[in-house]
Amino acid sequence: MHAIVAAGGDLLDEIWHATLPADALIVAADSGIAKVYALGRVPNVVVGDFDYVVPEPLARAEIDGARIDRHHVAKGATASELALESTTQLGASNVVV
C-alpha cells in the first residue's frame, strides 16, 4: 500500500502531486491537514496535538470520516514521526513525505 504523509511547510508541487496514486493512504501530520485539502485530497488519518491547526480543516476532516489521533503536547515525538508510525501500523510499504 502507498501512503502519503503531509507535514507542515510549503505546498507540494502540483506536478509531483499528480503522480501520487489516487488510492494512497493519506496521513496528515498536524498543520499538514491544510496542505492535503489545498491539493484537493481528503485525509484518511490526522495525527498531532493540533497546536498549529486552524479549526476548519480539522472539523472538515472529522466530517469526511478521517480518523483523528489526538496526542498531548508533551508527546515525546513530532507529529510527522507519529504520522509515519501510523502508516506503518496501517500496513503501508511505500511512504512519501
Side-chain angles (χ1 to χ4, degrees), residues 25-69:
L25 171 72
I26 300 176
V27 181
D30 218 18
S31 62
I33 190 172
K35 190 183 303 182
V36 171
Y37 282 116
L39 292 170
R41 304 290 286 261
V42 176
N44 301 100
V45 181
V46 184
V47 178
D49 56 22
F50 307 118
D51 55 346
Y52 294 107
V53 174
V54 293
E56 291 81 13
L58 187 56
R60 181 175 172 190
E62 290 177 306
I63 291 168
D64 287 340
R67 187 180 88 198
I68 310 296
D69 291 347

